[in-house]
Every structure is written in structure tokens, then in C-alpha cells.
């Protein structure tokens, strides 16, 4: 691939002006450096795989693995980039998409995967956002990251620093931005205020907790009961949670709560959890629903609405950006903020477990068994998870 790209640019130089030759030579030097880095850092045998969804249904029945030919640099459109996906997580939105329950239903057949991290292998002639060797994350939905190679429009991806660990980069475009926006868009939180959130051990839950702690906001974390309850509670308190309870314990625990009642509730579970959270909210508080992992309707006591005047709002990261005129620019700014939060150690990456993309069925099983962390499908060795 390197010879074909370099050869193409050299042929163009023969018929260029001096100024054009200078620009082209600089472009060539940058591409040669990027390609050299690629060959050293990410060895590539040119053999690809992709998961394909032909019709919606149960994940194990609906998905199929195919072998993938690596696209050539010559096949790229002027504004397209050839990416090699290094790692991509299995997220709830991916499962919902495969099952046909997600609001965004891509045209079939397609490759699932909303999130991940990739390395740029080649660029079209009008691409200005990337050079070969750059790392990038998707900022447009439906990019299909459960594969080895992909050709994408340049504005659908965003360049990130190459020093971020691959596992961190692969899981930074959905959960951390969601946590940032949940804490900033609905209630003007001040130091000493209290929030409450369900799904306390989820990835987004942990980011919410760490960001709240940084603001000096007290956090009540609601979790499911489990055999490793003590370890989960210890971890969340280490991150700054003031109280870790199950929904069944919440009412009793609040009798001994010596701080203000929660001004903000964040619910990703629904069902009974939303009911118990709504009961303990402060007057004029806001409950934000951003998920429904229980697959049960949220439950709101009439008294909470009538006498406590609580507000119930919904939040959808992808849909919110889609409604913005410059949504992709807003997403870029948010990704930059998340990078800074990781570098400043305000938030720390979630635990991950890595499997080669060809072991996707095992990955789905692990995803369903885990209460915390992420499962990554990888195209780049075991050290992704190190």
C-alpha cells in the first residue's frame, strides 16, 4: 500500500508548479512518516473480518462473521479515509440496534458498532483532518466498528491524541460525554448539593460519580444486590459516593441521611428503581431518564409530581447532537473535554476485557454476565487491555 500511495504522489509532482511541488512533498513526507509508524506500531497482515447484520433479531442468530478484503487507497473518495479498527466495545445501544429496538435503524445489511478507536491507513486527496497513523474515534452514529477495515467520511471521525491507551480511547465517545452532559444540562449544581443515580456500577454511573465528586457534589449510588456487593460498595465509596444502597434499602437509608435531599436524579434502569428514586427527590427536583436497562416502564408516584413538583426529562446523547445544526462540532468539543478529564485524572478508565473480533459470540456472553466494565472486540492483540 505504501508504494502505491507514494508512487501516485510522485507522478503528480512531475506535472506540478514549484509551489505545488513543495506542498505535495510536505504531504508525501508526512504520509511516509505515518505509514512507517503504522508498520511498526500496528502490524497488518491485510486480512480482515466483519460482523454483518442482515435482519434484526436475537444477537446470536442475527449476526454473521465474514472475511473482509482490505480496501485500497485508490478506491477512496476525495473526502474519505481508510481506517483500521483497533478495538470496539459492546454497548447496550449496539444490542438494541441488532434486536431492532433502537430508534436508529440502519439500512440492512450493515455492520453494528457505535463506538471504538481506529488508526488511519490512507486518506482521500481532499482530506485535511487526518494523516496516516493518526488515531480517531467516531462522532457520527452508525459507523459500524465491529470489523477490521472501513472506509468513512472524514467528518464522521475525530482525531485524538495517540498517547491515550487504546482501551480508553475505544470507550470514550459515549459514556464519559453522557456523564458530562447529564451533570451540566439540567440542574445548576453547587458544591454541597446532592444527586442520586441508578446503575451505580455501570460505566456511565462511575463517570457520573467521579465528576460529581470533583464538583464537591454528594452522590447517592443505587446498585443491584449481588454476590460481590461488598467489593462493589467499597469501589464506589473510593470514587466518592456518600451512600451506596439497593432500591429496596433506599427509603430506610434516607432516614439517616444528614445532607440535603437530591436535586437531581439520574436513572438508567427504570421500573422499581425509578419509583424509589422519585420518592426521595427534593421539592422541585429533576429526574432525568437516560436508559431503561430493566426494560420496564419508569414509575413515578403521583405525589412526587403534584406535591413535590418534580420534573421528569429524557436524555439521548446521539439524538441531541443530531438535532443541533453544528452537532458534530459540539461532539468534537465534548471529546476534547473528555480527553482532558482523563489526562487530569479527574476520571479514570473503566475495566475492560478483550476478545478478538472472531470470538464475538463469547464476547456477547461476557457482556450479559458483567455488572461493570466493558467487553472489547479487538483487531490488535492482547495488549489492548494492558
Amino acid at each position: 500500500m505504501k508504494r502505491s500511495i507514494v508512487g501516485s504522489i510522485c507522478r503528480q509532482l512531475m506535472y506540478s508548479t514549484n509551489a505545488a511541488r513543495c506542498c505535495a512533498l510536505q504531504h508525501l513526507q508526512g504520509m511516509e512518516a505515518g505509514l512507517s509508524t503504522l508498520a511498526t506500531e500496528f502490524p497488518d497482515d491485510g486480512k480482515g473480518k466483519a460482523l454483518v447484520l442482515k435482519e434484526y433479531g436475537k444477537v446470536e442468530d442475527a449476526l454473521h462473521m465474514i472475511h473482509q478484503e482490505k480496501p485500497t487507497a485508490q478506491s477512496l473518495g476525495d473526502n474519505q479515509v481508510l481506517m483500521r479498527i483497533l478495538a470496539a466495545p459492546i454497548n447496550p445501544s449496539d444490542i438494541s440496534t441488532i434486536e431492532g429496538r433502537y430508534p436508529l435503524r440502519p439500512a440492512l445489511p450493515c455492520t453494528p458498532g457505535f463506538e471504538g478507536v481506529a488508526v488511519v491507513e490512507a486518506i482521500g486527496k481532499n482530506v485535511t483532518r487526518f494523516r496516516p497513523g493518526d488515531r480517531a474515534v467516531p462522532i457520527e452514529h452508525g459507523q459500524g466498528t465491529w470489523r477490521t477495515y472501513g472506509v468513512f467520511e472524514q467528518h464522521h471521525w475525530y482525531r485524538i491524541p495517540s498517547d491515550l491507551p487504546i482501551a480508553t480511547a475505544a470507550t470514550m465517545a459515549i459514556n464519559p460525554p453522557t456523564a458530562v452532559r447529564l451533570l451540566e444540562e439540567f440542574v445548576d449544581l453547587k458544591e454541597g448539593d446532592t444527586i442520586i443515580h441508578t446503575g451505580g456500577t455501570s460505566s456511565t454511573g462511575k463517570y457520573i460519580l467521579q465528576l460529581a465528586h470533583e464538583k464537591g457534589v454528594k452522590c447517592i449510588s443505587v446498585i443491584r444486590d449481588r454476590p460481590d456487593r461488598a467489593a462493589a460498595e467499597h469501589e464506589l465509596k473510593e470514587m466518592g459516593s456518600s451512600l451506596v444502597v439497593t432500591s429496596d434499602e433506599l427509603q430506610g437509608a434516607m432516614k439517616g441521611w444528614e445532607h440535603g435531599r437530591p436535586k437531581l436524579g439520574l436513572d438508567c434502569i427504570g421500573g422499581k428503581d425509578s419509583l424509589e428514586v422519585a420518592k426521595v427527590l427534593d421539592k422541585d427536583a429533576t429526574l432525568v431518564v437516560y436508559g431503561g436497562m430493566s426494560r420496564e416502564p419508569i414509575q413515578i408516584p403521583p405525589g412526587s409530581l403534584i406535591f413535590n413538583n418534580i420534573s421528569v426529562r429524557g436524555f439521548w446523547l446521539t439524538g441531541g447532537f443530531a438535532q443541533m445544526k453544528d452537532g458534530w462540532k459540539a461532539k468534537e468539543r465534548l471529546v476534547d473535554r473528555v480527553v482532558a478529564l482523563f489526562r487530569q485524572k479527574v476520571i479514570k478508565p473503566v475495566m475492560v476485557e478483550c476478545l478478538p473480533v472472531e470470538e464475538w459470540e463469547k464476547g456477547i456472553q461476557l457482556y450479559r454476565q458483567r455488572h461493570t466494565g466493558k467487553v472489547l472486540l479487538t483487531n490488535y492483540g492482547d495488549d489492548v487491555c494492558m
Side-chain angles (χ1 to χ4, degrees):
M1 182 185 76
K2 178 177 176 179
R3 288 195 186 94
S4 64
I5 298 172
V6 173
S8 174
I9 295 176
C10 287
R11 286 191 294 273
Q12 294 174 27
L13 288 174
M14 295 172 60
Y15 305 102
S16 303
T17 63
N18 287 338
R21 285 194 188 100
C22 179
C23 291
L25 280 169
Q26 291 175 347
H27 185 65
L28 173 59
Q29 291 166 354
M31 291 189 72
E32 284 185 316
L35 289 165
S36 177
T37 299
L38 269 174
T40 303
E41 190 173 6
F42 305 112
D44 183 14
D45 61 7
K47 298 177 181 178
K49 299 178 180 68
L51 284 168
V52 175
L53 175 67
K54 293 185 178 180
E55 59 180 289
Y56 299 113
K58 183 180 177 182
V59 177
E60 289 84 351
D61 298 330
L63 284 185
H64 302 277
M65 174 73 73
I66 65 169
H67 292 283
Q68 186 186 32
E69 288 190 15
K70 183 176 182 178
T72 64
Q74 290 80 5
S75 69
L76 297 179
D78 291 348
N79 292 295
Q80 291 183 324
V81 291
L82 170 60
M83 301 272 198
R84 178 146 55 99
I85 311 298
L86 301 176
I90 300 173
N91 285 319
S93 55
D94 299 317
I95 303 301
S96 295
T97 298
I98 295 166
E99 294 175 344
R101 298 184 294 105
Y102 201 63
L104 299 175
R105 294 169 65 94
L108 301 180
C110 72
T111 292
F114 284 107
E115 193 177 28
V117 62
V119 61
V120 177
E121 296 232 337
I123 59 176
K125 67 179 184 180
N126 291 338
V127 172
T128 57
R129 292 163 64 85
F130 300 105
R131 284 187 172 186
D134 286 344
R135 293 191 200 175
V137 297
I139 56 171
E140 177 71 13
H141 64 81
Q143 297 301 289
T145 54
W146 292 5
R147 54 177 155 171
T148 309
Y149 305 109
V151 173
F152 306 99
E153 296 299 318
Q154 64 166 325
H155 287 291
H156 292 172
W157 289 69
Y158 187 54
R159 185 173 60 192
I160 60 167
S162 60
D163 60 345
L164 278 180
I166 292 173
T168 301
T171 56
M172 65 175 287
I174 295 179
N175 295 152
T178 296
V180 169
R181 292 191 61 188
L182 286 172
L183 289 173
E184 293 182 354
E185 290 198 7
F186 298 95
V187 174
D188 183 17
L189 294 169
K190 301 289 195 298
E191 184 174 354
D193 285 343
T194 299
I195 69 168
I196 183 169
H197 67 129
T198 63
T201 59
S202 68
S203 298
T204 302
K206 289 180 179 178
Y207 290 128
I208 289 170
L209 174 55
Q210 293 172 81
L211 291 169
H213 182 66
E214 176 70 12
K215 291 174 175 285
V217 171
K218 300 186 183 305
C219 192
I220 301 171
S221 303
V222 181
I223 66 172
R224 289 179 290 177
D225 205 2
R226 64 197 70 197
D228 63 345
R229 163 75 183 271
E233 186 169 341
H234 175 76
E235 180 187 17
L236 295 182
K237 287 188 174 180
E238 285 286 305
M239 290 182 175
S241 184
S242 301
L243 178 64
V244 182
V245 293
T246 67
S247 58
D248 288 334
E249 300 165 345
L250 183 56
Q251 297 298 316
M254 290 302 292
K255 294 177 181 178
W257 182 251
E258 298 179 351
H259 310 284
R261 295 176 80 83
K263 292 185 175 181
L264 176 66
L266 303 172
D267 179 38
C268 64
I269 304 296
K272 184 179 179 181
D273 280 27
S274 59
L275 173 69
E276 298 302 328
V277 166
K279 288 178 180 178
V280 303
L281 291 177
D282 199 9
K283 188 176 177 60
D284 300 319
T286 300
L287 174 64
V288 182
V289 179
Y290 70 98
M293 294 299 294
S294 70
R295 300 192 183 183
E296 297 176 2
I298 64 168
Q299 301 177 35
I300 307 296
S304 296
L305 297 169
I306 299 169
F307 305 116
N308 276 354
N309 195 38
I310 71 166
S311 301
V312 182
R313 303 281 301 277
F315 176 82
W316 181 28
L317 181 72
T318 301
F321 283 123
Q323 294 172 10
M324 296 181 186
K325 185 177 180 180
D326 63 343
W328 62 275
K329 291 183 179 179
K331 186 71 177 287
E332 289 179 351
R333 291 191 292 269
L334 198 49
V335 169
D336 285 338
R337 284 191 62 189
V338 169
V339 169
L341 290 168
F342 277 120
R343 284 182 158 172
Q344 295 162 7
K345 302 188 185 305
V346 173
I347 56 176
K348 65 180 183 179
V350 297
M351 293 176 60
V352 297
E353 186 162 351
C354 294
L355 290 169
V357 67
E358 55 266 31
E359 295 183 22
W360 65 273
E361 290 174 295
K362 183 179 178 182
I364 296 296
Q365 292 175 359
L366 285 173
Y367 161 82
R368 289 178 173 145
Q369 294 166 3
R370 293 178 71 96
H371 293 296
T372 187
K374 294 281 186 180
V375 177
L376 295 187
L377 301 177
T378 75
N379 292 293
Y380 170 61
D382 295 336
D383 55 346
V384 170
C385 288
M386 294 175 63

